[in-house]
Amino acid sequence: MSRPQNEIGTVGLALSGGAVRGAAQIGAIAVLEENSVPIHIVSGTSAGAAVGALYAAGTSTGEMMDFMSQLSWPKTTHFEGWKKLGLFSTNPFRDRLRHAIDDATFADLEKQLVVVACDVLSGDRVLLTEGDVVTAIGASTAIPGLFTPVEYEDRLLIDGGIVDNYPVTAPYEAGAEVVIGIDIGAHPGQHAPSNFIDMLIASMEVRNKSTGVRVADVDIEPDVREFSSFDFDSISEMYERGRQAAEAAMPEIEQLLSA
C-alpha cells in the first residue's frame, strides 16, 4: 500500500482526549503501522497528547502498552492540598513520561508534534510545538480543578479538552494535506460517572461535542464507552477496541491515500 512520500503528501494524525482510554489509540496506531500508513504530523489533546508524544518519539506500540500497563492513580498523581490550584500534581506521571522519551524536546522527535492546551486566563486555544515535550503534556493533561495547571511563559495552561478535545484542525494548520483522526470520545457515554473525576471528564466531553469541529478526512472511532476514564485494569480490552476500529476504517484510509 505504501507509495513514495512525494506522491502521498503530508499525512496528519489527530488524537482526542479521553484519559486512560487512550490505550485504544495505541491499538489503532498499531494497525496503521502494520498497513504502512505514513504519518508525518501528530496532534493530540490530553491523553491523546501523551500517546502522540510517545508515538512521535519513536516508541513502539508494544512499549507504549508497557508504559500504560504500569500506570495507576498512585503512580500518576500526588496530592497537593486544598489550597493549591489543583488537588493533585501529575509529577509522577510526568517523571515516567520523561524517562520513556529520554527528556526529549519537540525538535528531538521523529515526527512533528502539536500539543493542544488551553490558557485559563484568556480562554485561548494554545498549540505547543517547541521546547520541553513533557512540560507541554503536563499542560494538556491538567484537568481544571483536579490537576495543577502549568505556567508557560506568560500563560497558565490547562487541559486542551476545554477548547479542542479532538484536534483535527491542528495538523492542517501545521501543513498536513490529509488528516486521520482517532476519536475515543466519539460514541455516546454508556458508563455513568462513578466519582467526581469521571464527572469532570464527562462534562468536558459533553461541552466539546456541542462546540467541536469534525473535519478529519477519516475518523477512527473506537467504542470504549463502557470504560471509565481511569479504568487502568481494562487497557488491554481498550487496545483491542482500537485495533477493531482501525481495521474497519482501513478501506477508507487506503482509498484516501491512493486518491
Side-chain angles (χ1 to χ4, degrees), residues 38-215:
I39 301 296
H40 309 105
I41 301 171
V42 184
S43 68
T45 295
S46 198
V51 171
L54 290 167
Y55 179 45
T59 310
S60 71
T61 54
E63 292 170 331
M64 291 162 72
M65 283 300 289
D66 287 342
F67 177 86
M68 291 285 289
S69 68
Q70 295 171 23
L71 298 180
S72 65
W73 187 258
K75 292 180 180 179
T76 56
T77 63
H78 173 73
F79 183 65
E80 290 283 273
W82 298 98
K83 295 184 179 181
K84 301 291 185 177
L85 294 180
L87 291 177
F88 300 89
S89 78
T90 56
N91 287 339
F93 170 74
R94 291 163 68 176
D95 289 343
R96 287 174 176 272
L97 183 60
R98 191 175 296 282
H99 177 74
I101 63 174
D102 295 327
D103 213 13
T105 67
F106 281 83
D108 296 325
L109 301 175
E110 296 182 5
K111 301 179 188 295
Q112 185 176 346
L113 176 67
V114 181
V115 172
V116 181
C118 172
D119 182 358
V120 72
L121 302 178
S122 66
D124 292 340
R125 169 178 173 264
V126 179
L127 301 182
L128 302 173
T129 59
E130 59 184 20
D132 181 62
V133 173
V134 172
T135 299
I137 304 306
S140 187
T141 57
I143 299 171
L146 184 63
F147 298 140
T148 308
V150 172
E151 294 184 12
Y152 180 83
E153 297 179 351
D154 59 344
R155 297 179 181 271
L156 190 62
L157 301 181
I158 57 173
D159 195 307
I162 295 294
V163 289
D164 190 4
N165 197 52
Y166 186 34
V168 292
T169 61
Y172 292 119
E173 294 172 57
E177 297 174 52
V178 297
V179 174
I180 299 166
I182 307 175
D183 186 5
I184 50 179
H187 293 276
Q190 176 180 329
H191 178 87
S194 59
N195 53 57
F196 81 99
I197 300 174
D198 276 353
M199 191 67 217
L200 277 173
I201 293 177
S203 299
M204 290 168 59
E205 290 176 347
V206 168
R207 180 188 182 281
N208 191 264
K209 283 185 182 299
S210 65
T211 60
V213 178
R214 301 178 62 85
V215 294

